[in-house]
Amino acid sequence: MPTRWCCCGTEYSISPSPYLWGLSSNTLSALQISIVNASHFDTVNPLQKQQVQLYIDALLDWNHKMNLTAVKEASDVMDRHIENSLSIIPPIQSSYILHCESSFENLNHVDVGSDVGLPGLILAIACPGTAGRIR
């Protein structure tokens, strides 16, 4: 079983089993079902929703000039990019709390190769208390 090191220096092991990240198979199944059925955008506050909308407007505006993404409509940006970016927060949060800290607020993350700012900018909007770098 490979050994991994958490960002806080805690050692833990990962196996290819359904017990990934210390979750039982039942919990993992429930988490997958809730992720599929939930709108992660609904979990952000009104200011964050406004910031995400500004991002979408800017992306679509620049997309006309530079062809940044194949997505051309705001609803498609929301479905394909925003929801996808927000969907990684719960598993990252759960893993960090399970292996490192009791609070998600101490998380440091790096988004390497963020092209049009996804998921880095959306994570920065949704999790303003975490320290992130976009490269």
Side-chain angles (χ1 to χ4, degrees), residues 57-128:
D57 294 344
L59 175 64
L60 292 174
D61 184 45
W62 279 98
N63 198 41
H64 291 295
K65 301 171 188 172
M66 301 180 72
N67 193 31
L68 299 171
T69 178
V71 178
K72 306 290 183 208
E73 300 294 325
S75 61
D76 291 334
V77 172
M78 182 62 70
D79 291 340
R80 294 184 184 179
H81 295 311
I82 306 304
E83 285 293 331
N84 190 33
S85 295
L86 293 172
S87 72
I88 66 174
I89 294 172
I92 290 172
Q93 186 176 32
S94 296
S95 179
Y96 185 75
I97 290 170
L98 181 65
H99 296 293
C100 299
E101 297 282 335
S102 61
S103 171
F104 185 60
E105 299 302 317
N106 298 323
L107 176 70
N108 291 305
H109 61 275
V110 176
D111 181 3
V112 179
S114 194
D115 294 338
V116 296
L118 297 166
L121 288 174
I122 302 306
L123 291 177
I125 291 169
C127 305

Side-chain angles (χ1 to χ4, degrees), residues 4 21 30 33 41 45 47-48 55 68 72 99 108 110 128:
R4 301 279 189 241
W21 304 24
I33 291 168
F41 187 68
N45 68 41
L47 176 60
Q48 292 166 324
Y55 169 81
L68 299 171
K72 306 290 183 208
H99 296 293
N108 291 305
V110 176

